[in-house]
Amino acid sequence: MPLWTPPASFLDRAHLTQYRVWLANRPGLGVPDAALQPNAEGYEALWRWSVADVDRFWQSLWRYFAVIAHTPATRIRGGGPDDGGVGPDTRWFEGAMLNYAEHSFRHQTGDHPALIFQSERGAAAGSAPVEVSWDDLAAAVAAFQGFLRSEGIGPGDRVAAYLPNVPQAVVAFLATASLGAVWSCCSPDFGVRTVIDRFAQIEPALLIATDGYTYAGKPFDRTAEVAELRAALPSVRQTVFLPYLDLDAPTPPDAVRWGDALAAHRTDAPPTFEPVPFDHPLWVLYSSGTTGTPKAITHSHGGALLEHLKYLAFHNDTHPGERFFWFTTTGWMMWNVLQASLLVGGVPVLYDGSPGHPDLGALWRLAGTLPIHHFGTSAPYLTACMKQDLRPGEIADLSALRSLGSTGAPLPAEAFDWVYDAVSEDVWLCSMSGGTDVCTAFVGGCPGKPVHRGRIQGRALGVALASWGDNGEPVAEGLGEMVIEQPMPSMPVFFWGDAGDARYRAAYFDHYADLDAPSVWRHGDFIELFDDGSLVIHGRSDATLNRRGVRIGTAELYAVLDGLPFLKDSLVLNLERPDGTDVMPLFVVMAEGEALTDDRIAEIKATLRQECSPRHVPDAVIAVPDVPYTLSGKKMEVPVKKLLLGLDARAALNKDALPFKAVRNPAAAEHFAAMAEAFRADHLLKSDMSS
């Protein structure tokens, strides 16, 4: 029985319905009649066409969204064997000249604001959210664009930012992209070594930095970190300083204050836009960097544009004037998706601060006050609200809420129940999964399809996602590797500084290359596909638990453990012994006032046995003070596994080395590093694997 079924009024208004009407009037595209029906079966038929007729699908989006092309494309796709476009060699819309930022201004209007901003600090002071008009946004972008030009910034130059989620970050990005310069951003909660590891790779010409931020009621001064950054980045010719924590903070030597940079270049003229090739770099995003220097993942103007138009319109159904919120920092790809709602006329709602301050109801109250139409967050946040028995629908008026987005980790089935019981029975729950690698979701919301408990609705249009076994065989039932069988325009154009694309190919395309499948993208997640096209993500395949030949996704255990009120968090691993056997420890963080007693251990094991299977029962349950997370909020299963096995242990024990510099909470990683040797001895693991 579905938890939600789209009502007729929802389907009639949906962007996807309008697209189907448009397709029906263009028989030359070869869309089958079944794909034009606005129901679950029709969506699956449309998806099949989108991945079978790749060129005509993406060409249809180009035409449907009326992409502004200063010169037309000479062909849709090329590169690779027979010049049809294969894997990392694919080249899209060659010859086309466009600009991503230009499309952000197509919905400029006086009918609603361009941006809305609220901060934790402002909310605590009782300040109303700040509305930024379209006229003010355009004026600020034009002024900062003039400043960038005066500093010699042009196409291909890199602009790096160390900024919180504030309107100035959006202004700086749009101005940078409008000139064809390349944007890259880190949140100021990133440690200085982490930022240097990222920005040093791209050699930025200009740095924009803030003096600090507030989180959970505490101020964090970053002026010393900014000084370190400037010293460590010799390529930077100019620094723009944005006072935020302290509006009266002194400007660093040889830097320009944000307000002064804009004031010197105020103009009545609107922003202008430099046409660049479709594959011209737009921004550089970064992997978490848990296994080496962070990958400098470079996306293109055209690829990001087409993908964001498609996802925001068809899979989030965002309409002009609707307020689109996602809780994110500027260091997570969801910030890029948040500002991308401008492309479809949405109003990005920016929030800076802690989602749990002064309590977990803060964001829900904001959603009711504005109101917010599309509310996006992480699965752990929703799970935390559930475990606190929070009832957002009772503390805020959420009648305007149309969609609730969740990503960052698998959303447990119990959280689906909680959403429809405690948030709203009418909301469209869009659990989604994608990655920094493509700056979008591979799977997520599908208008016309019902929402089933614990399942993602389906595969996004144009995403040829399949489930494969170790030998490249299709997996019809059970867990398989998530692969993408056809290229997408938003796949990276390259990794910055990656000579010959060697690291890029190794990251995604080498796994099945020996099986004569060099163009198949392996993402590193285990999935389970169902006959109706819905699916479940079971966690990272490189952290999968192999219990006596049966592969288990870590998400299966977390879904059960999240339901135990005496546990705050958990981390489960599977560690191989030298003799071929293995041990599966479960590390738990106890809730406040709780202790890990024999009775609690017995309860954990009994619950996992009953809810899952005997194979899911851990060999050991160990209390830890915290679980380490990456800067983008993912549990660090693989790095902790390496620590406990002794791999790279010498480097890990150095706090300036990996994995510490990529950790949101370094003390948690330090704890695992400190216990590693004793753990190996206790559990008969090899003690000299680092040699």
Side-chain angles (χ1 to χ4, degrees):
M1 188 74 180
L3 296 172
W4 177 85
T5 301
S9 58
F10 177 96
L11 288 177
D12 289 345
R13 182 172 180 258
H15 281 295
L16 198 56
T17 300
Q18 298 168 20
Y19 175 57
R20 282 192 169 102
V21 172
W22 185 89
L23 289 173
N25 290 320
R26 288 158 180 81
L29 290 173
V31 183
D33 290 341
L36 303 176
Q37 304 306 309
N39 52 29
E41 294 77 16
Y43 179 82
E44 289 304 304
L46 184 62
W47 173 81
R48 286 192 293 272
W49 170 74
S50 76
V51 298
D53 202 343
V54 175
D55 290 6
R56 284 202 284 190
F57 168 70
W58 291 105
Q59 181 186 37
S60 78
L61 296 192
W62 183 279
R63 294 167 59 191
Y64 178 76
F65 289 113
V67 170
I68 303 170
H70 295 259
T71 59
T74 55
R75 59 178 174 177
I76 306 304
R77 182 170 54 129
D82 301 324
D83 212 26
V86 173
D89 298 315
T90 306
R91 297 293 176 263
W92 292 91
F93 293 92
E94 291 177 295
M97 300 288 286
L98 46 70
N99 188 285
Y100 180 101
E102 184 171 11
H103 294 78
S104 298
F105 283 87
R106 287 201 296 183
H107 293 276
Q108 184 169 349
T109 177
D111 295 339
H112 58 74
L115 305 171
I116 298 175
F117 170 66
Q118 181 60 293
S119 68
E120 169 195 305
R121 191 168 47 175
S127 302
V130 176
E131 295 189 354
V132 180
S133 72
W134 268 107
D135 285 347
D136 286 346
L137 178 64
V141 170
F144 198 67
Q145 184 183 72
F147 169 76
L148 291 175
R149 282 199 183 102
S150 74
E151 294 295 330
I153 301 298
D157 290 325
R158 277 77 67 204
V159 173
Y162 190 54
L163 293 175
N165 187 15
V166 294
Q168 292 90 337
V170 178
V171 169
F173 160 68
L174 291 172
T176 298
S178 71
L179 297 177
V182 184
W183 173 259
S184 193
C185 193
C186 286
S187 173
D189 60 349
F190 282 25
V192 67
R193 186 68 252 167
T194 301
V195 180
I196 293 170
D197 285 343
R198 287 156 168 73
F199 288 168
Q201 295 185 66
I202 64 171
E203 299 180 306
L206 187 134
L207 174 68
I208 310 168
T210 189
D211 64 323
Y213 63 98
T214 301
Y215 191 87
K218 299 178 182 178
F220 293 86
D221 187 292
R222 307 304 273 175
T223 52
E225 285 78 4
V226 171
E228 258 192 272
L229 279 178
R230 296 180 73 200
L233 298 172
S235 61
V236 171
R237 304 193 299 264
Q238 181 60 278
T239 300
V240 179
F241 175 69
L242 175 68
Y244 178 62
L245 180 64
D246 176 8
L247 298 182
D248 296 321
T251 304
D254 304 320
V256 177
R257 208 172 185 84
W258 172 270
D260 294 341
L262 266 64
H265 297 276
R266 288 288 181 188
T267 174
D268 293 332
T272 59
F273 304 96
E274 178 74 24
V276 294
F278 185 95
D279 62 356
H280 185 81
L282 172 65
W283 52 50
V284 180
L285 306 179
Y286 304 91
S287 69
S288 60
T290 56
T291 56
T293 304
K295 299 188 293 286
I297 301 170
T298 307
H299 294 117
S300 68
H301 272 250
L305 174 65
L306 278 183
E307 180 58 42
H308 288 166
L309 286 168
K310 179 203 75 175
Y311 201 89
L312 270 297
F314 295 162
H315 298 284
N316 236 119
D317 199 44
T318 305
H319 290 261
E322 290 185 337
R323 291 160 180 182
F324 184 91
F325 167 79
W326 209 285
F327 180 78
T328 180
T329 69
T330 57
W332 187 23
M333 56 146 281
M334 290 311 301
W335 183 85
N336 303 71
V337 175
L338 172 61
Q339 63 78 29
S341 59
L342 291 168
L343 297 172
V344 293
V347 182
V349 177
L350 316 178
Y351 187 85
D352 177 55
S354 166
H357 184 80
D359 56 64
L360 285 172
L363 296 182
W364 299 109
R365 289 190 291 270
L366 179 66
T369 300
L370 285 178
I372 287 171
H373 303 94
H374 303 276
F375 183 104
T377 185
S378 66
Y381 172 77
L382 295 178
T383 303
C385 291
M386 176 187 72
K387 295 182 79 167
Q388 278 201 8
D389 294 325
L390 191 70
R391 300 192 65 81
E394 296 176 6
I395 66 172
D397 178 4
L398 300 179
S399 56
L401 187 63
R402 293 189 58 228
S403 76
L404 177 58
S406 171
T407 193
L411 186 66
E414 292 77 11
F416 279 70
D417 298 335
W418 173 82
V419 165
Y420 284 99
D421 176 55
V423 179
S424 169
E425 62 182 12
D426 299 320
V427 74
W428 174 29
L429 177 55
C430 300
S431 179
M432 59 186 278
S433 180
T436 303
D437 324 80
V438 287
C439 199
T440 187
F442 293 122
V443 296
C446 299
K449 296 189 69 174
V451 173
H452 289 283
R453 183 177 189 265
R455 296 187 188 180
I456 296 172
Q457 282 183 290
R459 293 167 278 196
L461 296 179
V463 182
L465 184 146
S467 178
W468 280 23
D470 290 339
N471 297 313
E473 73 280 10
V475 176
E477 295 182 359
L479 300 188
E481 287 274 1
M482 178 199 292
V483 301
I484 312 299
E485 297 178 327
Q486 293 281 0
M488 298 165 54
S490 66
M491 287 176 176
V493 283
F494 49 75
F495 291 171
W496 202 277
D498 179 23
D501 288 336
R503 201 174 180 202
Y504 178 24
R505 294 173 188 274
Y508 310 115
F509 296 100
D510 279 2
H511 190 77
Y512 290 107
D514 292 341
L515 302 177
D516 197 27
S519 63
V520 172
W521 171 297
R522 172 189 175 260
H523 195 62
D525 281 337
F526 265 127
I527 60 169
E528 183 176 8
L529 280 169
F530 298 94
D531 291 342
D532 64 354
S534 64
L535 67 150
V536 174
I537 305 285
H538 286 276
R540 298 295 295 172
S541 57
D542 49 10
T544 299
L545 315 173
N546 192 328
R547 297 288 278 171
R548 294 179 284 280
V550 177
R551 294 186 295 197
I552 299 172
T554 55
E556 295 179 48
L557 283 85
Y558 297 142
V560 174
L561 296 169
D562 284 341
L564 297 177
F566 55 85
L567 294 183
K568 181 181 178 181
D569 205 351
S570 59
L571 182 90
V572 64
L573 305 170
N574 196 65
L575 306 172
E576 299 79 15
R577 291 190 176 109
D579 63 1
T581 63
D582 58 77
V583 59
M584 189 172 91
L586 170 66
F587 300 96
V588 296
V589 182
M590 303 304 293
E592 187 174 353
E594 292 283 353
L596 185 61
T597 62
D598 290 343
D599 288 344
R600 288 302 195 199
I601 292 174
E603 186 174 353
I604 290 169
K605 291 185 174 183
T607 303
L608 288 170
R609 182 182 296 272
Q610 179 178 341
E611 297 293 328
C612 298
S613 79
R615 290 188 176 89
H616 292 72
V617 177
D619 298 309
V621 181
I622 302 164
V624 293
D626 201 2
V627 169
Y629 281 80
T630 67
L631 294 170
S632 58
K634 299 182 186 299
K635 294 185 183 186
M636 298 184 71
E637 294 164 321
V638 175
V640 170
K641 179 175 179 177
K642 289 184 175 182
L643 279 172
L644 296 182
L645 287 175
L647 299 171
D648 300 322
R650 295 175 190 146
L653 288 169
N654 176 355
K655 294 184 179 63
D656 291 327
L658 296 170
F660 291 90
K661 60 186 177 182
V663 186
R664 189 177 69 187
N665 46 345
E670 291 171 7
H671 179 84
F672 279 97
M675 68 180 288
E677 186 172 352
F679 180 89
R680 288 195 294 275
D682 289 344
H683 296 279
L684 303 178
L685 293 168
K686 195 172 182 179
S687 61
D688 60 348
M689 295 184 72
S690 60
S691 61

